[in-house]
């Protein structure tokens, strides 16, 4: 008994010191926690609740069941929006990863004027999607941009009218997105390439392994954390794609370049159909959760299970 008493007292003292140490941090984080709970989680729950109502101009708290979701999936404009975001997301993310990686490999060759190239490649990312969209809208306009320039040079039969072509207009959004986002991927990949052990390259040269094989079989697997980081950042841009479309095409021609975010904004603030707009927003939220769940499980949940 004479031995246990000091031990209990000591552990109690440590607990009190630990509590006093953590108290200032908890107080400092309290406003942020309240903002997260009220603004983010609260607004998400409010949006989901409104999607089950018949709200039009103003929110109502009645119960409308799944009617808004039935109307949503029968709406051609929303179906086209969903198809467009899949096309844009697949081409934008894969294109940015490939182009960004190639640009990073180019700069990693210790080229002369490396700083200039890094600035040029990264500069588009410093501009907003609105500025990017307006610039590409001018450049791809058949009456003002590339097509007119080439025809004025004497090539009268040259045609590049994707911006006003319903089948090809979505790909002009992809081109503008690639120009804007590839620089970010380049910066992330370049940071990873600079961290690769130089002895690895020396060993590959001694073994006579082709350079392209080293990049694809050795370097790329080492860059997996960078690839994941870039993919998550690019995917965020895909989900909130709105201003680029508005600046370039306003969703046209027709509904050829409609995207879910524009569908939601139009129904909330122009068409006075809050119920349908929040139903589309809820579908977007569920889609994001389904896409991110495997990555969150692999990155955070499974490692904790191994440690316990």
């Amino acid at each position: 008994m004479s031995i246990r008493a000091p031990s209990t007292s000591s552990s109690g003292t440590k607990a009190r010191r630990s509590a006093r140490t953590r108290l200032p941090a908890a107080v400092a984080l309290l406003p942020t926690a309240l903002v997260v709970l009220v603004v983010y989680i609260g607004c998400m729950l409010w949006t989901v609740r409104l999607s089950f109502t018949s709200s039009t101009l103003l929110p109502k708290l009645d119960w409308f069941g799944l009617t808004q979701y039935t109307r949503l999936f029968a709406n051609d404009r929303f179906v086209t929006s969903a198809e467009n975001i899949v096309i844009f997301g697949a081409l934008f993310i894969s294109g940015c990863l490939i182009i960004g990686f190639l640009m990073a490999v180019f700069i990693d060759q210790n080229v002369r004027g490396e700083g200039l190239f890094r600035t040029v490649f990264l500069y588009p990312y410093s501009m907003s999607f609105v500025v990017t969209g307006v610039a590409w809208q001018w450049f791809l306009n058949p009456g003002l941009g590339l097509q007119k320039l080439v025809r004025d040079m004497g090539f009268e039969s040259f045609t590049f009218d994707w911006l006003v072509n319903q089948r090809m207009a979505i790909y002009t959004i992809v081109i503008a997105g690639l120009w804007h986002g590839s620089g970010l991927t380049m910066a992330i990949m370049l940071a990873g390439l600079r961290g690769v052990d130089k002895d690895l390259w020396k060993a590959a040269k001694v073994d006579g392994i082709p350079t392209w094989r080293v990049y694809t079989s050795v370097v790329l697997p080492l860059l997996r954390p960078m690839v994941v980081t870039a993919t998550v950042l690019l995917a965020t841009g895909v989900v909130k794609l709105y201003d680029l479309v508005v600046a370039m095409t306003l969703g046209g021609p027709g509904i050829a370049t409609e995207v879910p975010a524009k569908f939601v904004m139009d129904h909330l603030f122009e068409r006075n159909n809050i119920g349908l707009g929040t139903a589309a927003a809820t579908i977007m939220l569920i889609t994001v959760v389904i896409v991110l769940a495997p990555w969150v499980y692999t990155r955070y949940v499974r490692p904790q299970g191994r440690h316990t």
Side-chain angles (χ1 to χ4, degrees), residues 56-218:
T56 52
L57 177 61
L58 297 174
K60 298 178 183 177
L61 290 180
D62 57 350
W63 179 254
F64 210 42
L66 296 174
T67 305
Q68 299 290 8
Y69 292 92
T70 305
R71 292 176 178 175
L72 184 67
F73 288 107
N75 190 310
D76 292 337
R77 191 178 172 195
F78 180 75
V79 173
T80 302
S81 301
E83 292 173 353
N84 284 340
I85 202 67
V86 171
I87 294 172
F88 177 84
L91 295 178
F92 174 69
I93 294 176
S94 60
C96 282
L97 289 176
I98 294 172
I99 296 173
F101 177 71
L102 293 177
M103 290 193 299
V105 170
F106 169 71
I107 292 179
D108 194 45
Q109 307 306 310
N110 294 321
V111 295
R112 184 174 297 178
E114 177 184 325
L116 175 63
F117 282 113
R118 278 192 300 187
T119 303
V120 170
F121 292 157
L122 196 56
Y123 182 73
Y125 191 73
S126 66
M127 291 191 285
S128 70
F129 271 128
V130 174
V131 175
T132 301
V134 171
W136 277 93
Q137 197 271 341
W138 288 344
F139 182 70
L140 297 177
N141 189 318
L144 299 173
L146 179 63
Q147 178 174 301
K148 185 177 185 303
L149 176 65
V150 176
R151 287 187 177 183
D152 289 344
M153 295 171 64
F155 300 94
E156 297 292 339
S157 60
F158 179 79
T159 300
F160 192 79
D161 59 351
W162 287 12
L163 192 66
V164 295
N165 186 322
Q166 286 196 341
R167 290 188 302 107
M168 305 302 294
I170 186 63
Y171 299 105
T172 62
I173 307 294
V174 175
I175 292 172
L178 289 175
W179 182 77
H180 183 270
S182 295
L184 171 67
T185 312
M186 179 276 298
I188 296 173
M189 296 289 187
L190 184 61
L193 286 174
R194 292 291 161 84
V196 175
D197 192 347
K198 296 189 181 302
D199 291 337
L200 190 66
W201 290 104
K202 295 177 183 177
K205 285 185 178 179
V206 171
D207 294 338
I209 301 175
T211 303
W212 66 268
R213 186 66 181 274
V214 179
Y215 273 114
T216 56
S217 302
V218 179

